[in-house]
Amino acid sequence: MVLEVLKKKYLGEVLLSKQYVTKEQLSESLKESLEKKKKIGAVLLEKQYVTEAQLFECLSITLGVEYRELTGIEVEQRIVDIIPEKIARKYMSVPLEINGELLVIAMSDPANVVFKDELSRITGKRLSVVLASEKDILYYIEKFYVRSSLSKEIGEHDVQEAEEEEELTDDIDDTESAPVIKYVNSIFFDAITKKASDIHLEPFEKEIYLRMRIDGILQQMPAPSKKYYPAIVSRIKIMSDLDISERRLPQDGKCRIKISDQKIDIRVSIIPTIWGEKIVLRVLAKNVFGLDIERVGFSPQELSFFKEAITAPYGMILVTGPTSSGKTTTLYSALGHINNADINIMTAEDPVEYELKGINQCHVRTDIGLDFARILRTFMRQDPDVILVGEIRDTETAQIAIQAALTGHLVFSTLHTNDTVSTISRMAFMGVESYLMADALNLIIAQRLVRTICPNCKKEIVLSDEIYNKLGLDKSCKIYEGQGCKFCDNTGYKGRTAIFEMLRITKDLKDAIARGATDVELRELAAKQGIVSLRKAAIAKLLEGRTTVEEVFNVSMADK
């Protein structure tokens, strides 16, 4: 423990000398590192105080070892085989070169003497250690252990055979099952490493497509041979407790995997197509995507408004936006913020995406009549303080939720509307009386997700006069974009953040809603109160250097 504190201290001194962080940022991160028992580097990266390149530069100086990037390297198989895959994963260490009795290895923690001694004993070699990121080491393991073993066991010659076969079968013998299991595990591992939200496995006439949604964009990945696709489908069905013999009907399931001590839920959806069963896997990793209210993307003023609303004794808070716009993450961050032993929080969800400790979560089952409305009616007999309704889809659910908000409960829910004001007319269309909405509503939020610029390849750019005019900006404004690098897979983007349009239901707005004001009238009143539109919120992120012009225009197009 003392050694770990000293290492953090020395690393901090190097970071300060390079002027990569301020004393306040370092002190705050060190405190969080000790409290949460996390590595100081991980905390600094999470808070975006440093880039990966800056962190590893300083770690290299602190530890007195060379730093190497492992992406794109080639290593002979005889060298890879010196350290077994299980050991490489356990010690986050991989072999790179061999010179006689000297073995060069890359480690994510070169200061760990115990690991080095054990590796020296296992390999029977003297070790020369270099520093590499955990991400790069996992990439190495994926490339040289998982993928290479798969190519040997279900090699390229099998692709030609698969194209010639007339019928595919789900039968897997013992010799095939091991590589198939490893391959499925490698897909999950790849998705978590790349922070993908969804995995798509799609069969076509002569090939399989494997795509992952990363930062909201689907990206093509190396796919398996079609010959082994039925076996891969069967493996996923077994993991998800689904019927492996049923290929004609859609199936939905869920499984849990463990990767690097992270427990991650995977939501599975299978649908038959003309060439086979398509699988979409939704990755539900709350520790990967984060449920911290401070990190959702609120500006200081927005965060203040949101905290005020979610700590009110009663009323309704609605979060709106299209599918995959981050609504659930925003609401879960709110529940996490207010979750205490003295509050009874109950949720009705379809499906339950994240399991939250201390919160009673109910899964909607429409096939047996357990819909949102029925669960809500039962909730009212369970003495709740806070209720989350996954989505308001019908009149009955809307009316019960409004009544709950009017009878002393704090209610959170979502709707699929384009902006805050149109939410009110949508509720009215569902049959909710205007005067009831006026009394119940506290806050309406419309949100979108925009991709953030990769901090490692971020560069200032100059726009054309036409673009400045479209954005309503002066040429003196600094605009940035990512150039593309290994840290962002040459996309120029790394992660996403949310932008918000917040409509606080003030007394004037309540009066206007109660008298049945039109959307146009409500928008004019909201504008007078200083509402920040989604477009303006996106431009604010642009001026902060967080996102790009492309993302601003994507948000603007979505609002039209």
Side-chain angles (χ1 to χ4, degrees):
M1 182 65 185
V2 174
L3 178 61
E4 183 64 24
V5 172
L6 286 173
K7 281 163 56 184
K8 290 176 182 179
K9 181 182 177 183
Y10 294 143
L11 175 61
E13 289 174 356
V14 176
L15 287 163
L16 286 173
S17 69
K18 294 280 186 179
Q19 297 184 339
Y20 290 155
V21 296
T22 65
K23 288 184 179 179
E24 292 75 18
Q25 290 172 336
L26 182 62
S27 176
E28 176 191 340
S29 301
L30 184 58
K31 182 181 178 183
E32 185 173 325
S33 169
L34 294 171
E35 286 176 352
K36 296 184 177 180
K37 296 180 180 178
K38 295 174 70 174
K39 291 183 178 180
I40 183 69
V43 175
L44 289 164
L45 287 173
E46 281 179 8
K47 293 181 173 293
Q48 297 185 342
Y49 289 158
V50 297
T51 66
E52 288 186 55
Q54 291 170 340
L55 176 64
F56 284 105
E57 176 194 348
C58 294
L59 276 172
S60 176
I61 295 170
T62 304
L63 299 170
V65 296
E66 176 192 351
Y67 166 62
R68 285 200 197 175
E69 297 179 1
L70 304 186
T71 51
I73 67 165
E74 293 299 329
V75 181
E76 292 179 35
Q77 194 60 44
R78 65 180 183 87
I79 296 175
V80 174
D81 294 340
I82 292 174
I83 297 179
E85 179 187 346
K86 186 176 180 181
I87 300 299
R89 290 187 186 277
K90 180 179 180 181
Y91 297 125
M92 276 294 115
S93 308
V94 292
L96 300 179
E97 304 165 12
I98 187 165
N99 298 307
E101 292 300 307
L102 183 66
L103 176 66
V104 180
I105 64 169
M107 296 183 70
S108 64
D109 186 8
N112 195 316
V113 179
V114 175
F115 282 9
K116 285 194 286 189
D117 287 347
E118 185 64 15
L119 285 166
S120 181
R121 185 188 66 78
I122 291 169
T123 61
K125 305 285 185 183
R126 291 187 298 111
L127 300 182
S128 174
V129 179
V130 299
L131 170 68
S133 70
E134 188 169 308
K135 178 183 175 182
D136 277 8
I137 290 174
L138 292 174
Y139 164 85
Y140 177 110
I141 293 172
E142 178 76 10
K143 179 178 180 179
F144 293 110
Y145 290 107
V146 178
R147 302 288 184 189
S148 64
S149 68
L150 284 168
S151 5
K152 283 188 291 184
E153 293 174 83
I154 50 178
E156 291 298 323
H157 62 281
D158 290 329
V159 176
Q160 186 62 37
E161 292 173 12
E163 293 176 353
E164 295 171 1
E165 288 186 355
E166 293 182 2
E167 185 177 351
L168 300 176
T169 172
D170 276 63
D171 295 335
I172 319 168
D173 62 30
D174 291 338
T175 59
E176 291 174 355
S177 62
V180 166
I181 290 170
K182 287 182 73 175
Y183 185 80
V184 172
N185 291 343
S186 79
I187 292 174
F188 289 134
F189 173 80
D190 217 12
I192 297 304
T193 303
K194 296 178 183 298
K195 296 188 177 179
S197 60
D198 299 88
I199 306 164
H200 293 238
L201 281 160
E202 303 161 307
F204 293 96
E205 183 180 9
K206 294 184 178 181
E207 60 187 336
I208 302 298
Y209 282 4
L210 171 59
R211 298 190 290 172
M212 295 186 186
R213 191 174 295 279
I214 301 169
D215 295 338
I217 305 296
L218 278 174
Q219 297 183 22
Q220 194 91 11
M221 301 292 167
S225 160
K226 188 167 183 181
K227 176 181 178 179
Y228 289 90
Y229 186 66
I232 291 168
V233 173
S234 290
R235 172 60 184 164
I236 292 172
K237 284 181 178 179
I238 290 167
M239 291 176 70
S240 311
D241 198 24
L242 299 176
D243 184 354
I244 64 171
S245 65
E246 180 56 73
R247 305 176 193 173
R248 301 164 300 168
L249 296 173
Q251 295 191 70
D252 294 308
K254 193 174 184 179
C255 63
R256 175 169 288 179
I257 60 173
K258 187 177 180 181
I259 295 177
S260 301
D261 296 325
Q262 299 179 55
K263 288 183 179 179
I264 297 156
D265 289 328
I266 306 291
R267 197 169 77 210
V268 181
S269 175
I270 301 177
I271 188 168
T273 71
I274 59 172
W275 298 115
E277 293 176 285
K278 173 181 175 176
I279 302 176
V280 175
L281 307 163
R282 167 61 62 90
V283 180
L284 305 172
K286 63 181 179 181
N287 51 342
V288 173
F289 297 104
L291 297 174
D292 185 349
I293 195 172
E294 305 285 344
R295 296 172 55 200
V296 171
F298 292 116
S299 69
Q301 186 181 47
E302 288 169 342
L303 184 60
S304 175
F305 290 159
F306 191 55
K307 285 183 176 179
E308 180 184 340
I310 66 176
T311 53
Y314 58 87
M316 178 178 277
I317 297 164
L318 295 175
V319 181
T320 75
T323 302
S324 299
S325 58
K327 301 186 296 296
T328 301
T329 299
T330 298
L331 288 178
Y332 275 17
S333 72
L335 294 184
H337 183 73
I338 64 175
N339 187 17
N340 290 305
D342 57 352
I343 295 177
N344 179 19
I345 302 176
M346 308 192 75
T347 77
E349 304 171 63
D350 183 18
V352 174
E353 292 198 1
Y354 303 111
E355 295 175 12
L356 302 177
K357 186 177 180 181
I359 294 176
N360 306 284
Q361 297 170 271
C362 296
H363 188 91
V364 169
R365 292 280 305 276
T366 52
D367 56 327
I368 59 172
L370 188 64
D371 55 16
F372 281 115
R374 185 169 181 179
I375 293 176
L376 279 177
R377 284 195 295 270
T378 306
F379 277 1
M380 302 309 290
R381 297 190 290 273
Q382 289 280 318
D383 186 32
D385 296 297
V386 178
I387 297 171
L388 183 146
V389 185
E391 183 184 343
I392 294 178
R393 298 175 179 171
D394 54 68
T395 300
E396 188 178 10
T397 304
Q399 289 176 338
I400 297 172
I402 287 284
Q403 288 298 329
L406 291 172
T407 53
H409 306 90
L410 187 61
V411 179
F412 299 93
S413 192
T414 72
L415 272 89
H416 288 283
T417 55
N418 287 328
D419 58 28
T420 53
V421 171
S422 61
T423 303
I424 296 166
S425 56
R426 174 73 183 278
M427 293 282 282
F429 181 76
M430 285 184 177
V432 179
E433 297 291 345
S434 297
Y435 68 90
L436 294 178
M437 272 193 289
D439 286 342
L441 289 171
N442 289 356
L443 178 69
I444 303 175
I445 300 174
Q447 78 173 70
R448 301 286 189 277
L449 292 176
V450 294
R451 290 180 291 171
T452 52
I453 301 171
C454 172
N456 295 288
C457 59
K458 178 177 173 181
K459 299 289 182 184
E460 186 177 351
I461 61 169
V462 178
L463 304 175
S464 67
D465 292 346
E466 182 185 359
I467 300 297
Y468 279 115
N469 291 335
K470 281 185 178 179
L471 294 171
L473 297 177
D474 186 85
K475 289 184 181 180
S476 62
C477 296
K478 291 186 176 182
I479 308 296
Y480 300 88
E481 71 176 18
Q483 303 301 299
C485 66
K486 84 175 193 73
F487 293 104
C488 62
D489 291 329
N490 293 310
T491 62
Y493 294 98
K494 188 77 170 175
R496 291 189 290 177
T497 188
I499 57 170
F500 303 94
E501 177 182 290
M502 281 194 170
L503 183 65
R504 302 173 73 203
I505 311 301
T506 61
K507 185 181 183 305
D508 289 343
L509 273 171
K510 285 181 181 291
D511 293 341
I513 294 168
R515 70 170 186 270
T518 65
D519 282 4
V520 173
E521 292 172 325
L522 291 173
R523 283 194 182 93
E524 288 176 353
L525 185 55
K528 288 178 183 177
Q529 293 182 176
I531 190 172
V532 176
S533 69
L534 286 168
R535 180 181 173 87
K536 289 181 179 177
I539 291 174
K541 287 284 193 290
L542 175 71
L543 296 176
E544 289 172 11
R546 299 285 304 282
T547 194
T548 65
V549 172
E550 178 188 13
E551 290 296 286
V552 172
F553 284 139
N554 284 343
V555 170
S556 302
M557 289 298 293
D559 293 336
K560 289 183 180 178

